[in-house]
Amino acid sequence: MRKRITAIVCGLALVTSLLVLAACSGSSGDTGTGSTSTDNPASKTYTIATDTTFAPFEFQDAQGNYVGIDMELLDAIAKDQGFDYKVNAVGFDAALQAVTSGQADGVIAGMSINDDRKKTFDFSEPYFDSGVVMGVSSKDDSIKSYADLEGKTVSVKIGTEGATFADGIKDQYGFKITQFKDSAMMYADVVGGNSQACFEDYPVMGYAISKNVGLKIVTDMERGSSYGFAVAKGKNPELLQKFNAGLANIKANGTYQQILDKYIQK
């Protein structure tokens, strides 16, 4: 009888131990907003800031999860390098501020690498080469080139490559600029007739047009800057190193191209 009781007690102890282990192995990230490496439960969880509306790089799906090229690249790199992360979708300007203030460890938000930003951020190797196009209302046949913008108003999204390009040619072609915080408002301003054109990164505008936003592209793509993952200057060098190593690996194994093909139709 004593042996039987001992066996039962030992069995209960084993079950309890397994339950504790199972509880400790749960994911620390919410679905669609982070990744947890079960191979390294003691690893640091990085907070990564991002934009909220920059499809196809980051946007919300029907379930409210943040998806897109940037989100899938980040997840694939985190899994490859065995680190955990949590996404903080706050908008582009707020994302940059979160990193510089130390509230986030890094930022991935379709962020162009340029000399001015290099004063504040350390960038990864480029993960996407973009370019700028001009869009007009799909019902407008009067604007086909930059020369047609004289005396007109052009919409741009603050902080984008499109905004930088428009600012660089506005005096030459004689148009005014109005700024918006997100692409959806910028597109709506053009479709509604308040402005006559907008400048945006090609994959972003191309994706929007594929979703029947009411625009059409009327210019060839102007070569733009490359996108990069970034950390505050002099901070989190280990995270930057992991991103670069993971990016190289997912390019080599085909995951990178699979992600691009999912969101950008050729």
Side-chain angles (χ1 to χ4, degrees), residues 36-97:
T36 297
S37 170
T38 55
D39 294 332
N40 187 13
S43 64
K44 175 181 177 181
T45 298
Y46 296 103
T47 298
I48 308 299
T50 190
D51 201 350
T52 53
T53 56
F54 198 58
F57 291 90
E58 44 267 331
F59 60 100
Q60 283 184 292
D61 63 13
Q63 290 72 46
N65 298 315
Y66 281 95
V67 296
I69 294 172
D70 285 355
M71 298 296 94
E72 293 204 24
L73 287 179
L74 177 62
D75 193 60
I77 289 170
K79 288 176 179 175
D80 180 85
Q81 292 294 297
F83 67 82
D84 306 338
Y85 69 92
K86 178 181 179 181
V87 169
N88 190 11
V90 292
F92 188 76
D93 288 340
L96 303 191
Q97 293 170 8

Short mmCIF file of all heavy atoms in Angstrom, two decimals, residues 36-97:
data_model
loop_
_atom_site.label_atom_id
_atom_site.label_comp_id
_atom_site.label_asym_id
_atom_site.label_seq_id
_atom_site.Cartn_x
_atom_site.Cartn_y
_atom_site.Cartn_z
N THR A 36 8.17 35.28 -30.12
CA THR A 36 8.89 34.78 -28.96
C THR A 36 9.70 33.56 -29.36
O THR A 36 9.20 32.65 -30.00
CB THR A 36 7.92 34.38 -27.84
OG1 THR A 36 7.23 35.55 -27.41
CG2 THR A 36 8.66 33.78 -26.65
N SER A 37 10.97 33.54 -29.00
CA SER A 37 11.84 32.41 -29.27
C SER A 37 11.82 31.46 -28.08
O SER A 37 12.32 31.77 -27.02
CB SER A 37 13.28 32.90 -29.52
OG SER A 37 14.16 31.80 -29.54
N THR A 38 11.21 30.28 -28.24
CA THR A 38 11.15 29.32 -27.16
C THR A 38 12.49 28.65 -26.92
O THR A 38 12.70 28.01 -25.89
CB THR A 38 10.10 28.23 -27.47
OG1 THR A 38 10.41 27.64 -28.74
CG2 THR A 38 8.71 28.84 -27.53
N ASP A 39 13.41 28.77 -27.88
CA ASP A 39 14.74 28.19 -27.70
C ASP A 39 15.59 29.04 -26.76
O ASP A 39 16.61 28.59 -26.26
CB ASP A 39 15.46 28.09 -29.06
CG ASP A 39 14.77 27.09 -29.98
OD1 ASP A 39 14.15 26.15 -29.44
OD2 ASP A 39 14.86 27.26 -31.20
N ASN A 40 15.20 30.28 -26.53
CA ASN A 40 15.99 31.16 -25.69
C ASN A 40 15.06 31.98 -24.80
O ASN A 40 14.87 33.17 -25.03
CB ASN A 40 16.85 32.09 -26.56
CG ASN A 40 17.82 32.92 -25.72
OD1 ASN A 40 18.03 32.65 -24.54
ND2 ASN A 40 18.40 33.94 -26.33
N PRO A 41 14.45 31.34 -23.79
CA PRO A 41 13.43 32.02 -22.98
C PRO A 41 13.97 33.20 -22.20
O PRO A 41 13.20 34.04 -21.73
CB PRO A 41 12.95 30.90 -22.04
CG PRO A 41 14.07 29.92 -21.99
CD PRO A 41 14.68 29.95 -23.36
N ALA A 42 15.30 33.29 -22.02
CA ALA A 42 15.87 34.39 -21.25
C ALA A 42 16.25 35.57 -22.13
O ALA A 42 16.81 36.55 -21.65
CB ALA A 42 17.10 33.90 -20.49
N SER A 43 15.97 35.49 -23.44
CA SER A 43 16.37 36.55 -24.36
C SER A 43 15.59 37.83 -24.09
O SER A 43 14.45 37.79 -23.63
CB SER A 43 16.17 36.11 -25.81
OG SER A 43 14.78 35.91 -26.07
N LYS A 44 16.21 38.97 -24.43
CA LYS A 44 15.56 40.26 -24.24
C LYS A 44 14.44 40.44 -25.25
O LYS A 44 14.54 40.02 -26.39
CB LYS A 44 16.60 41.37 -24.43
CG LYS A 44 16.01 42.78 -24.36
CD LYS A 44 17.08 43.83 -24.59
CE LYS A 44 16.48 45.23 -24.60
NZ LYS A 44 17.50 46.27 -24.84
N THR A 45 13.35 41.05 -24.81
CA THR A 45 12.26 41.39 -25.72
C THR A 45 12.44 42.85 -26.16
O THR A 45 12.39 43.77 -25.35
CB THR A 45 10.89 41.22 -25.04
OG1 THR A 45 10.71 39.85 -24.69
CG2 THR A 45 9.77 41.64 -25.98
N TYR A 46 12.66 43.04 -27.45
CA TYR A 46 12.86 44.39 -27.99
C TYR A 46 11.52 45.02 -28.33
O TYR A 46 10.61 44.35 -28.82
CB TYR A 46 13.71 44.33 -29.26
CG TYR A 46 15.12 43.84 -29.06
CD1 TYR A 46 15.47 42.53 -29.41
CD2 TYR A 46 16.10 44.67 -28.53
CE1 TYR A 46 16.77 42.08 -29.24
CE2 TYR A 46 17.40 44.22 -28.35
CZ TYR A 46 17.73 42.92 -28.72
OH TYR A 46 19.02 42.47 -28.54
N THR A 47 11.40 46.31 -28.10
CA THR A 47 10.23 47.07 -28.52
C THR A 47 10.56 47.74 -29.85
O THR A 47 11.53 48.50 -29.94
CB THR A 47 9.84 48.13 -27.48
OG1 THR A 47 9.49 47.49 -26.26
CG2 THR A 47 8.64 48.96 -27.97
N ILE A 48 9.77 47.43 -30.86
CA ILE A 48 10.01 47.96 -32.20
C ILE A 48 8.85 48.88 -32.59
O ILE A 48 7.69 48.47 -32.62
CB ILE A 48 10.11 46.83 -33.25
CG1 ILE A 48 11.14 45.77 -32.80
CG2 ILE A 48 10.49 47.42 -34.60
CD1 ILE A 48 12.54 46.29 -32.61
N ALA A 49 9.16 50.14 -32.86
CA ALA A 49 8.14 51.11 -33.24
C ALA A 49 7.91 51.07 -34.75
O ALA A 49 8.82 50.76 -35.52
CB ALA A 49 8.58 52.51 -32.83
N THR A 50 6.68 51.37 -35.15
CA THR A 50 6.37 51.37 -36.58
C THR A 50 5.26 52.37 -36.89
O THR A 50 4.67 52.97 -35.98
CB THR A 50 5.96 49.95 -37.05
OG1 THR A 50 5.89 49.93 -38.49
CG2 THR A 50 4.60 49.55 -36.48
N ASP A 51 5.01 52.53 -38.17
CA ASP A 51 3.92 53.40 -38.64
C ASP A 51 2.60 52.64 -38.49
O ASP A 51 2.57 51.47 -38.13
CB ASP A 51 4.18 53.76 -40.11
CG ASP A 51 3.44 55.01 -40.55
OD1 ASP A 51 2.58 55.50 -39.80
OD2 ASP A 51 3.72 55.50 -41.66
N THR A 52 1.51 53.31 -38.78
CA THR A 52 0.20 52.67 -38.68
C THR A 52 -0.45 52.46 -40.04
O THR A 52 -1.20 51.49 -40.22
CB THR A 52 -0.76 53.52 -37.82
OG1 THR A 52 -0.79 54.87 -38.34
CG2 THR A 52 -0.29 53.56 -36.38
N THR A 53 -0.18 53.35 -41.01
CA THR A 53 -0.83 53.25 -42.32
C THR A 53 0.19 53.50 -43.41
O THR A 53 0.31 54.62 -43.91
CB THR A 53 -1.98 54.27 -42.46
OG1 THR A 53 -1.47 55.59 -42.20
CG2 THR A 53 -3.10 53.96 -41.48
N PHE A 54 0.91 52.47 -43.81
CA PHE A 54 1.87 52.60 -44.89
C PHE A 54 1.89 51.30 -45.68
O PHE A 54 2.91 50.66 -45.88
CB PHE A 54 3.27 52.91 -44.33
CG PHE A 54 4.24 53.48 -45.34
CD1 PHE A 54 3.95 54.64 -46.04
CD2 PHE A 54 5.45 52.86 -45.58
CE1 PHE A 54 4.84 55.16 -46.97
CE2 PHE A 54 6.36 53.37 -46.50
CZ PHE A 54 6.06 54.52 -47.20
N ALA A 55 0.69 50.90 -46.11
CA ALA A 55 0.56 49.67 -46.90
C ALA A 55 1.36 49.80 -48.20
O ALA A 55 1.38 50.88 -48.79
CB ALA A 55 -0.91 49.41 -47.21
N PRO A 56 2.02 48.76 -48.67
CA PRO A 56 1.96 47.38 -48.14
C PRO A 56 3.03 47.05 -47.11
O PRO A 56 3.29 45.88 -46.86
CB PRO A 56 2.18 46.56 -49.42
CG PRO A 56 3.15 47.38 -50.20
CD PRO A 56 2.76 48.81 -49.96
N PHE A 57 3.67 48.06 -46.51
CA PHE A 57 4.75 47.78 -45.56
C PHE A 57 4.24 47.56 -44.14
O PHE A 57 4.73 46.68 -43.43
CB PHE A 57 5.80 48.90 -45.61
CG PHE A 57 6.57 48.89 -46.89
CD1 PHE A 57 6.14 49.61 -47.99
CD2 PHE A 57 7.71 48.11 -47.02
CE1 PHE A 57 6.82 49.57 -49.19
CE2 PHE A 57 8.41 48.05 -48.22
CZ PHE A 57 7.96 48.78 -49.30
N GLU A 58 3.29 48.37 -43.70
CA GLU A 58 2.62 48.09 -42.43
C GLU A 58 1.21 48.68 -42.47
O GLU A 58 1.02 49.83 -42.85
CB GLU A 58 3.38 48.65 -41.22
CG GLU A 58 3.92 50.04 -41.38
CD GLU A 58 5.34 50.05 -41.89
OE1 GLU A 58 6.08 49.09 -41.63
OE2 GLU A 58 5.72 51.02 -42.56
N PHE A 59 0.24 47.84 -42.09
CA PHE A 59 -1.15 48.25 -42.04
C PHE A 59 -1.93 47.19 -41.25
O PHE A 59 -1.38 46.13 -40.94
CB PHE A 59 -1.74 48.44 -43.45
CG PHE A 59 -1.72 47.20 -44.30
CD1 PHE A 59 -2.85 46.43 -44.47
CD2 PHE A 59 -0.55 46.82 -44.96
CE1 PHE A 59 -2.84 45.30 -45.27
CE2 PHE A 59 -0.53 45.68 -45.77
CZ PHE A 59 -1.67 44.92 -45.91
N GLN A 60 -3.17 47.49 -40.93
CA GLN A 60 -3.99 46.55 -40.16
C GLN A 60 -4.86 45.71 -41.09
O GLN A 60 -5.45 46.22 -42.04
CB GLN A 60 -4.88 47.30 -39.17
CG GLN A 60 -4.14 47.80 -37.93
CD GLN A 60 -5.08 48.45 -36.94
OE1 GLN A 60 -5.62 49.52 -37.21
NE2 GLN A 60 -5.27 47.81 -35.80
N ASP A 61 -4.95 44.41 -40.77
CA ASP A 61 -5.84 43.54 -41.53
C ASP A 61 -7.24 43.59 -40.92
O ASP A 61 -7.51 44.37 -40.00
CB ASP A 61 -5.30 42.10 -41.59
CG ASP A 61 -5.21 41.44 -40.21
OD1 ASP A 61 -5.79 41.97 -39.24
OD2 ASP A 61 -4.55 40.37 -40.11
N ALA A 62 -8.15 42.76 -41.42
CA ALA A 62 -9.54 42.79 -40.97
C ALA A 62 -9.69 42.43 -39.50
O ALA A 62 -10.66 42.81 -38.85
CB ALA A 62 -10.37 41.82 -41.82
N GLN A 63 -8.71 41.70 -38.97
CA GLN A 63 -8.76 41.30 -37.55
C GLN A 63 -8.05 42.30 -36.64
O GLN A 63 -7.99 42.09 -35.43
CB GLN A 63 -8.12 39.91 -37.37
CG GLN A 63 -8.93 38.76 -37.95
CD GLN A 63 -8.93 38.74 -39.46
OE1 GLN A 63 -7.88 38.90 -40.08
NE2 GLN A 63 -10.09 38.55 -40.07
N GLY A 64 -7.52 43.37 -37.21
CA GLY A 64 -6.84 44.37 -36.40
C GLY A 64 -5.38 44.11 -36.16
O GLY A 64 -4.72 44.85 -35.43
N ASN A 65 -4.84 43.04 -36.77
CA ASN A 65 -3.41 42.74 -36.63
C ASN A 65 -2.59 43.58 -37.60
O ASN A 65 -3.04 43.87 -38.72
CB ASN A 65 -3.14 41.26 -36.92
CG ASN A 65 -3.86 40.34 -35.95
OD1 ASN A 65 -3.86 40.57 -34.75
ND2 ASN A 65 -4.50 39.31 -36.48
N TYR A 66 -1.40 43.98 -37.18
CA TYR A 66 -0.52 44.72 -38.07
C TYR A 66 0.22 43.74 -38.96
O TYR A 66 0.88 42.81 -38.48
CB TYR A 66 0.43 45.61 -37.29
CG TYR A 66 -0.25 46.88 -36.84
CD1 TYR A 66 -0.81 46.98 -35.55
CD2 TYR A 66 -0.41 47.96 -37.70
CE1 TYR A 66 -1.48 48.13 -35.16
CE2 TYR A 66 -1.09 49.10 -37.31
CZ TYR A 66 -1.62 49.18 -36.05
OH TYR A 66 -2.30 50.30 -35.67
N VAL A 67 0.10 43.95 -40.27
CA VAL A 67 0.68 43.05 -41.26
C VAL A 67 1.41 43.90 -42.30
O VAL A 67 1.44 45.12 -42.23
CB VAL A 67 -0.42 42.20 -41.95
CG1 VAL A 67 -1.11 41.29 -40.95
CG2 VAL A 67 -1.47 43.12 -42.61
N GLY A 68 2.03 43.22 -43.28
CA GLY A 68 2.72 43.93 -44.33
C GLY A 68 4.16 43.47 -44.47
O GLY A 68 4.64 42.61 -43.73
N ILE A 69 4.85 44.03 -45.45
CA ILE A 69 6.23 43.63 -45.74
C ILE A 69 7.13 43.80 -44.52
O ILE A 69 7.87 42.89 -44.14
CB ILE A 69 6.77 44.43 -46.93
CG1 ILE A 69 6.02 44.08 -48.21
CG2 ILE A 69 8.27 44.19 -47.11
CD1 ILE A 69 6.36 44.95 -49.39
N ASP A 70 7.10 44.99 -43.90
CA ASP A 70 7.96 45.24 -42.75
C ASP A 70 7.67 44.28 -41.61
O ASP A 70 8.59 43.78 -40.95
CB ASP A 70 7.79 46.68 -42.26
CG ASP A 70 8.48 47.69 -43.16
OD1 ASP A 70 9.17 47.27 -44.12
OD2 ASP A 70 8.34 48.91 -42.92
N MET A 71 6.39 44.03 -41.36
CA MET A 71 6.01 43.17 -40.25
C MET A 71 6.47 41.73 -40.47
O MET A 71 6.95 41.06 -39.55
CB MET A 71 4.50 43.21 -40.04
CG MET A 71 3.93 44.59 -39.68
SD MET A 71 4.52 45.23 -38.07
CE MET A 71 5.93 46.23 -38.59
N GLU A 72 6.34 41.26 -41.71
CA GLU A 72 6.74 39.88 -42.01
C GLU A 72 8.27 39.73 -42.06
O GLU A 72 8.82 38.71 -41.65
CB GLU A 72 6.10 39.40 -43.30
CG GLU A 72 4.58 39.26 -43.18
CD GLU A 72 4.00 38.27 -44.18
OE1 GLU A 72 4.74 37.38 -44.64
OE2 GLU A 72 2.80 38.39 -44.49
N LEU A 73 8.95 40.77 -42.56
CA LEU A 73 10.41 40.72 -42.56
C LEU A 73 10.93 40.70 -41.13
O LEU A 73 11.84 39.92 -40.79
CB LEU A 73 10.98 41.93 -43.29
CG LEU A 73 10.86 41.96 -44.81
CD1 LEU A 73 11.46 43.24 -45.37
CD2 LEU A 73 11.56 40.75 -45.44
N LEU A 74 10.38 41.55 -40.27
CA LEU A 74 10.80 41.60 -38.88
C LEU A 74 10.58 40.26 -38.20
O LEU A 74 11.46 39.75 -37.47
CB LEU A 74 10.03 42.70 -38.14
CG LEU A 74 10.29 42.84 -36.64
CD1 LEU A 74 11.76 43.18 -36.37
CD2 LEU A 74 9.38 43.90 -36.03
N ASP A 75 9.43 39.65 -38.44
CA ASP A 75 9.13 38.38 -37.81
C ASP A 75 10.07 37.28 -38.29
O ASP A 75 10.57 36.47 -37.49
CB ASP A 75 7.68 37.99 -38.12
CG ASP A 75 7.19 36.84 -37.25
OD1 ASP A 75 7.19 37.00 -36.02
OD2 ASP A 75 6.83 35.79 -37.80
N ALA A 76 10.34 37.25 -39.59
CA ALA A 76 11.24 36.24 -40.15
C ALA A 76 12.66 36.41 -39.62
O ALA A 76 13.35 35.43 -39.29
CB ALA A 76 11.24 36.31 -41.68
N ILE A 77 13.11 37.65 -39.50
CA ILE A 77 14.46 37.92 -38.99
C ILE A 77 14.55 37.56 -37.51
O ILE A 77 15.55 36.99 -37.06
CB ILE A 77 14.82 39.40 -39.23
CG1 ILE A 77 15.04 39.63 -40.73
CG2 ILE A 77 16.05 39.81 -38.44
CD1 ILE A 77 15.16 41.09 -41.12
N ALA A 78 13.52 37.89 -36.74
CA ALA A 78 13.51 37.55 -35.31
C ALA A 78 13.58 36.05 -35.11
O ALA A 78 14.31 35.56 -34.23
CB ALA A 78 12.26 38.13 -34.64
N LYS A 79 12.83 35.30 -35.89
CA LYS A 79 12.86 33.84 -35.78
C LYS A 79 14.22 33.29 -36.19
O LYS A 79 14.75 32.36 -35.56
CB LYS A 79 11.75 33.24 -36.65
CG LYS A 79 10.36 33.47 -36.08
CD LYS A 79 9.27 32.94 -37.01
CE LYS A 79 7.89 33.18 -36.39
NZ LYS A 79 6.80 32.78 -37.32
N ASP A 80 14.80 33.87 -37.23
CA ASP A 80 16.11 33.41 -37.69
C ASP A 80 17.19 33.67 -36.65
O ASP A 80 18.08 32.83 -36.44
CB ASP A 80 16.47 34.12 -39.00
CG ASP A 80 17.81 33.71 -39.55
OD1 ASP A 80 17.87 32.69 -40.26
OD2 ASP A 80 18.82 34.39 -39.26
N GLN A 81 17.09 34.80 -35.96
CA GLN A 81 18.12 35.20 -35.01
C GLN A 81 17.78 34.85 -33.56
O GLN A 81 18.59 35.04 -32.66
CB GLN A 81 18.38 36.70 -35.12
CG GLN A 81 19.02 37.11 -36.43
CD GLN A 81 20.42 36.57 -36.58
OE1 GLN A 81 21.31 36.90 -35.79
NE2 GLN A 81 20.63 35.72 -37.58
N GLY A 82 16.58 34.34 -33.32
CA GLY A 82 16.20 33.90 -31.99
C GLY A 82 15.99 35.01 -30.98
O GLY A 82 16.33 34.85 -29.80
N PHE A 83 15.44 36.14 -31.41
CA PHE A 83 15.12 37.19 -30.44
C PHE A 83 13.62 37.45 -30.41
O PHE A 83 12.90 37.14 -31.35
CB PHE A 83 15.92 38.47 -30.69
CG PHE A 83 15.58 39.23 -31.95
CD1 PHE A 83 14.49 40.10 -32.01
CD2 PHE A 83 16.39 39.12 -33.07
CE1 PHE A 83 14.19 40.81 -33.15
CE2 PHE A 83 16.11 39.84 -34.23
CZ PHE A 83 15.00 40.68 -34.27
N ASP A 84 13.15 38.02 -29.30
CA ASP A 84 11.73 38.34 -29.09
C ASP A 84 11.51 39.82 -29.34
O ASP A 84 12.42 40.65 -29.15
CB ASP A 84 11.30 38.01 -27.66
CG ASP A 84 11.62 36.58 -27.27
OD1 ASP A 84 11.77 35.74 -28.18
OD2 ASP A 84 11.73 36.31 -26.06
N TYR A 85 10.30 40.18 -29.74
CA TYR A 85 10.01 41.59 -29.96
C TYR A 85 8.54 41.87 -29.74
O TYR A 85 7.70 40.97 -29.78
CB TYR A 85 10.40 42.01 -31.39
CG TYR A 85 9.52 41.42 -32.46
CD1 TYR A 85 8.40 42.10 -32.92
CD2 TYR A 85 9.80 40.18 -33.01
CE1 TYR A 85 7.58 41.56 -33.90
CE2 TYR A 85 8.99 39.63 -33.99
CZ TYR A 85 7.87 40.32 -34.43
OH TYR A 85 7.06 39.78 -35.39
N LYS A 86 8.25 43.13 -29.52
CA LYS A 86 6.88 43.62 -29.39
C LYS A 86 6.75 44.85 -30.28
O LYS A 86 7.60 45.75 -30.23
CB LYS A 86 6.57 43.99 -27.94
CG LYS A 86 5.16 44.56 -27.75
CD LYS A 86 4.91 44.94 -26.30
CE LYS A 86 3.53 45.53 -26.10
NZ LYS A 86 3.28 45.93 -24.68
N VAL A 87 5.72 44.89 -31.11
CA VAL A 87 5.51 46.01 -32.02
C VAL A 87 4.67 47.09 -31.36
O VAL A 87 3.66 46.81 -30.73
CB VAL A 87 4.82 45.53 -33.32
CG1 VAL A 87 4.36 46.72 -34.15
CG2 VAL A 87 5.77 44.66 -34.12
N ASN A 88 5.10 48.33 -31.52
CA ASN A 88 4.37 49.48 -31.02
C ASN A 88 4.03 50.37 -32.22
O ASN A 88 4.88 51.11 -32.71
CB ASN A 88 5.21 50.25 -30.00
CG ASN A 88 4.42 51.31 -29.26
OD1 ASN A 88 3.20 51.35 -29.35
ND2 ASN A 88 5.09 52.18 -28.53
N ALA A 89 2.80 50.25 -32.73
CA ALA A 89 2.36 51.00 -33.91
C ALA A 89 1.82 52.36 -33.47
O ALA A 89 0.73 52.45 -32.92
CB ALA A 89 1.30 50.22 -34.67
N VAL A 90 2.59 53.41 -33.73
CA VAL A 90 2.25 54.73 -33.20
C VAL A 90 2.21 55.83 -34.26
O VAL A 90 1.90 56.97 -33.95
CB VAL A 90 3.25 55.14 -32.10
CG1 VAL A 90 3.09 54.26 -30.87
CG2 VAL A 90 4.69 55.09 -32.60
N GLY A 91 2.51 55.50 -35.51
CA GLY A 91 2.62 56.53 -36.54
C GLY A 91 4.09 56.85 -36.78
O GLY A 91 4.94 56.62 -35.92
N PHE A 92 4.40 57.39 -37.96
CA PHE A 92 5.80 57.55 -38.35
C PHE A 92 6.57 58.51 -37.46
O PHE A 92 7.63 58.15 -36.90
CB PHE A 92 5.88 58.01 -39.81
CG PHE A 92 7.28 58.02 -40.35
CD1 PHE A 92 7.91 56.85 -40.70
CD2 PHE A 92 7.97 59.22 -40.50
CE1 PHE A 92 9.21 56.85 -41.20
CE2 PHE A 92 9.27 59.24 -41.00
CZ PHE A 92 9.89 58.05 -41.34
N ASP A 93 6.09 59.73 -37.30
CA ASP A 93 6.81 60.71 -36.49
C ASP A 93 6.96 60.23 -35.05
O ASP A 93 8.04 60.36 -34.44
CB ASP A 93 6.09 62.06 -36.51
CG ASP A 93 6.22 62.76 -37.86
OD1 ASP A 93 7.14 62.41 -38.61
OD2 ASP A 93 5.39 63.65 -38.15
N ALA A 94 5.90 59.68 -34.48
CA ALA A 94 5.94 59.20 -33.10
C ALA A 94 6.89 58.01 -32.97
O ALA A 94 7.54 57.84 -31.93
CB ALA A 94 4.54 58.81 -32.64
N ALA A 95 6.99 57.19 -34.02
CA ALA A 95 7.92 56.05 -33.99
C ALA A 95 9.36 56.53 -33.89
O ALA A 95 10.17 55.98 -33.13
CB ALA A 95 7.71 55.19 -35.24
N LEU A 96 9.70 57.56 -34.66
CA LEU A 96 11.05 58.10 -34.61
C LEU A 96 11.35 58.69 -33.23
O LEU A 96 12.43 58.49 -32.67
CB LEU A 96 11.24 59.17 -35.69
CG LEU A 96 10.99 58.77 -37.14
CD1 LEU A 96 11.48 59.86 -38.09
CD2 LEU A 96 11.67 57.46 -37.48
N GLN A 97 10.37 59.39 -32.69
CA GLN A 97 10.54 60.00 -31.36
C GLN A 97 10.68 58.93 -30.29
O GLN A 97 11.45 59.09 -29.32
CB GLN A 97 9.36 60.91 -31.06
CG GLN A 97 9.29 62.15 -31.95
CD GLN A 97 7.99 62.93 -31.81
OE1 GLN A 97 7.17 62.64 -30.94
NE2 GLN A 97 7.80 63.90 -32.67
#
